[in-house]
Amino acid sequence: DDHHTGEDVGICLGVAFKKAVGDKAGMRRFGNFAVPMYEALAQVDLDMCGRPYLLYHTPLRHGKVGTFDVELAEEFFHGFVNHSGTTLHINVPYGNNRHHIIEAIFKAVAKALDIATGIDDRVSGVLSTKGTL
């Protein structure tokens, strides 16, 4: 069903990210990005710290974009954070069009992940006082 498919895709992407970043040596670790999509604004902050957590604050409750149930976006991100070990905060302070809100969220998450997984030449080893993430 659509619920499990969306969640499973998030799980697969989370596993792939966790494997791709390895020990996270030299990685920025933190990323944030905001995407304005017409009348909607999505703000994303994340930490690839090994501690899965999702804060999902949006005006989306129920409804569809085409045949896609909008609440399945949140299920996708639960699957992603739980299997990538990412703390992810998604905030949409305003927006009316469901399509614009969801598109802005996914684009902001992608850009924040790009920033967080980038290598910073100033970082030696892992960006953690504990020495591990």
Side-chain angles (χ1 to χ4, degrees):
D1 62 36
D2 292 342
H3 176 99
H4 290 105
T5 300
E7 182 182 24
D8 288 351
V9 171
I11 289 169
C12 290
L13 188 61
V15 168
F17 261 84
K18 188 171 186 171
K19 184 176 179 180
V21 298
D23 69 0
K24 303 173 188 166
M27 202 173 79
R28 286 189 184 99
R29 175 181 163 178
F30 302 99
N32 66 306
F33 207 82
V35 171
M37 183 65 56
Y38 196 59
E39 87 299 341
L41 178 67
Q43 300 167 325
V44 169
D45 299 276
L46 61 85
D47 179 5
M48 298 196 76
C49 59
R51 292 181 302 273
Y53 180 79
L54 176 65
L55 181 139
Y56 190 80
H57 184 254
T58 77
L60 295 171
R61 294 297 169 254
H62 300 286
K64 292 184 179 281
V65 174
T67 61
F68 181 77
D69 292 316
V70 296
E71 65 265 17
L72 298 182
E74 183 176 5
E75 295 306 318
F76 167 86
F77 288 112
H78 274 293
F80 176 77
V81 301
N82 288 332
H83 291 82
S84 65
T86 301
T87 293
L88 176 60
H89 290 230
I90 297 171
N91 287 290
V92 179
Y94 50 85
N96 297 315
N97 183 291
R98 293 179 190 111
H99 175 96
H100 295 158
I101 292 168
I102 291 173
E103 185 174 353
I105 290 169
F106 275 89
K107 287 182 176 182
V109 169
K111 293 295 286 182
L113 283 167
D114 181 46
I115 292 165
T117 58
I119 299 299
D120 186 336
D121 294 334
R122 300 169 295 174
V123 176
S124 176
V126 177
L127 187 57
S128 170
T129 56
K130 298 179 290 189
T132 185
L133 289 173

